[in-house]
Amino acid sequence: MSTAPAIQPSELGFFVAVARAGSLSAAARDLGVSTAAVSKRIAQMEARLAMPLLVRTTRRMGLTPEGEIVLERARRILGEIDDLQQLLTQAQGSPSGLLRVNATLGFGRMHVAPVIAEYCRKHPGVDVQLQLSADPPALSDDAFDVCVRFGEPPDARVIARFLAPNRRLLCAAPRYLREHGTPQAPAELRRHNCIGIRQGSDAYGVWRLTSTRAGKPHTEAVHVRGSLTTNDGEIAVSWALAGHGIVMRAEWDVARYLASGRLVRVLPQHATPEANIYAVYPQQHQMSSRVRLFVEFLAAKFQGLQPDAKIIGG
């Protein structure tokens, strides 16, 4: 008499989804079922295995050591299945399946989302999930296949494909500069209302500006402050447009306002940190036609979308 295995194949993806969500209620939303249904299915898995997989408290959920083992092996098995699917679809010459993409709020909304829509028209067999976030997810997080982010990641375990150059620019509305004066040196920024953006790992409230002295670069770290802060770059730019202060923002986000004159460069003779744009994805996805073709499509589109350096005073 045969007995059913302790873990059903269909439960692998389910358990990974629950672990990724971080809570039963979040997993229920992601899976489109009730929280009670998620809890019941986990309980059934634990009963068959005769060991707990999750540690539940009133505020959070974690994995037991056994749960960590199940999660690691489930990810590996699902990855191998996905690799097999990609080999088959690659032989057919057309990508298919689910592609999970992450990008920052304003940049993703303005520049990444339109490219994804065009990609899906070209490859109707691919389903794309785009999630926008204020901060980039951890590189160890398996929640996404491709992340579009600013700056090359230092982690050698991921592949970073250069998409386009990008600079951060200081700018303000002409109205603000008429009322408060135009800074002539980095130190003068301290007496201005500087709009703060809390994103990523950048040191909040510190702007680094580089000039050339005697043929050598000289960088000043200026501690700035202001009455307005946000984690959304688009909101920060809208405040600058309304004349509330000076903002440091990626040229991709302000080029059109600089071209129209609604914003003007501040301290244009000083360089601010580069923030080149990269598509980042795990090494195990480099053979995936779904990921590879999408990244190549992104790179081609971004080359044609680059802001005009002449317009923005580069």
Side-chain angles (χ1 to χ4, degrees):
M1 180 177 178
S2 62
T3 58
I7 297 181
Q8 305 291 334
S10 61
E11 291 174 332
L12 297 178
F14 166 76
F15 188 73
V16 169
V18 172
R20 180 189 301 142
S23 71
L24 297 183
S25 58
R29 288 193 299 270
D30 293 343
L31 296 169
V33 299
S34 68
T35 303
V38 173
S39 180
K40 180 179 179 181
R41 193 170 183 185
I42 288 292
Q44 290 172 341
M45 290 179 63
E46 292 175 326
R48 288 198 304 272
L49 290 168
M51 62 181 64
L53 299 176
L54 301 179
V55 178
R56 306 167 183 81
T57 67
T58 55
R59 294 188 176 182
R60 61 186 301 273
M61 178 195 79
L63 297 177
T64 65
E66 295 79 10
E68 293 281 2
I69 294 173
V70 172
L71 176 62
E72 178 186 0
R73 189 58 61 89
R75 285 174 172 169
R76 187 183 308 172
I77 293 171
L78 292 171
E80 291 175 353
I81 293 174
D82 184 68
D83 291 343
L84 174 60
Q85 178 67 27
Q86 289 304 303
L87 287 174
L88 295 176
T89 56
Q90 190 171 0
Q92 295 173 341
S94 178
S96 65
L98 176 64
L99 182 68
R100 303 165 301 168
V101 182
N102 175 269
T104 55
L105 293 170
F107 186 82
R109 188 180 300 116
M110 185 181 305
H111 299 293
V112 178
V115 174
I116 287 177
E118 189 173 348
Y119 179 80
C120 286
R121 282 195 294 268
K122 185 175 182 180
H123 300 289
V126 178
D127 297 325
V128 181
Q129 290 181 353
L130 172 63
Q131 178 171 316
L132 304 180
S133 56
D135 299 323
L139 296 175
S140 58
D141 193 343
D142 72 333
F144 303 102
D145 301 308
V146 180
C147 293
V148 180
R149 58 196 300 168
F150 295 93
E152 183 175 10
D155 197 323
R157 295 170 297 177
V158 298
I159 297 174
R161 169 70 182 270
F162 177 84
L163 296 179
N166 179 54
R167 299 172 294 168
R168 293 187 175 97
L169 304 177
L170 285 180
C171 51
R175 169 187 168 187
Y176 174 85
L177 298 176
R178 284 195 304 268
E179 295 176 354
H180 302 277
T182 300
Q184 300 301 315
E188 295 182 20
L189 291 170
R190 296 189 180 95
R191 64 177 179 82
H192 281 269
N193 196 44
C194 296
I195 299 170
I197 303 175
R198 295 179 180 267
Q199 286 184 346
S201 59
D202 294 341
Y204 172 72
V206 178
W207 288 356
R208 290 178 170 81
L209 294 93
T210 302
S211 60
T212 301
R213 296 181 181 177
K216 297 182 179 180
H218 173 75
T219 299
E220 295 181 63
V222 183
H223 291 264
V224 298
R225 65 171 303 278
S227 58
L228 296 171
T229 62
T230 178
N231 69 339
D232 189 316
E234 280 191 299
I235 292 175
V237 172
S238 71
W239 286 338
L241 288 167
H244 291 295
I246 301 173
V247 70
M248 179 186 288
R249 194 64 184 153
E251 62 181 307
W252 282 74
D253 295 325
V254 298
R256 65 191 187 280
Y257 301 122
L258 292 169
S260 68
R262 294 184 63 191
L263 293 176
V264 297
R265 292 279 302 275
V266 173
L267 297 172
Q269 69 276 24
H270 289 77
T272 50
E274 291 186 350
N276 293 331
I277 306 166
Y278 290 84
V280 181
Y281 56 97
Q283 288 184 350
Q284 63 264 30
H285 288 345
Q286 60 184 325
M287 297 304 293
S288 166
S289 63
R290 183 176 65 244
V291 171
R292 177 173 47 80
L293 289 175
F294 175 69
V295 171
E296 290 175 357
F297 190 83
L298 269 178
K301 288 297 178 182
F302 273 59
Q303 287 300 311
L305 293 173
Q306 291 183 37
D308 190 336
K310 296 178 182 178
I311 291 177
I312 59 178

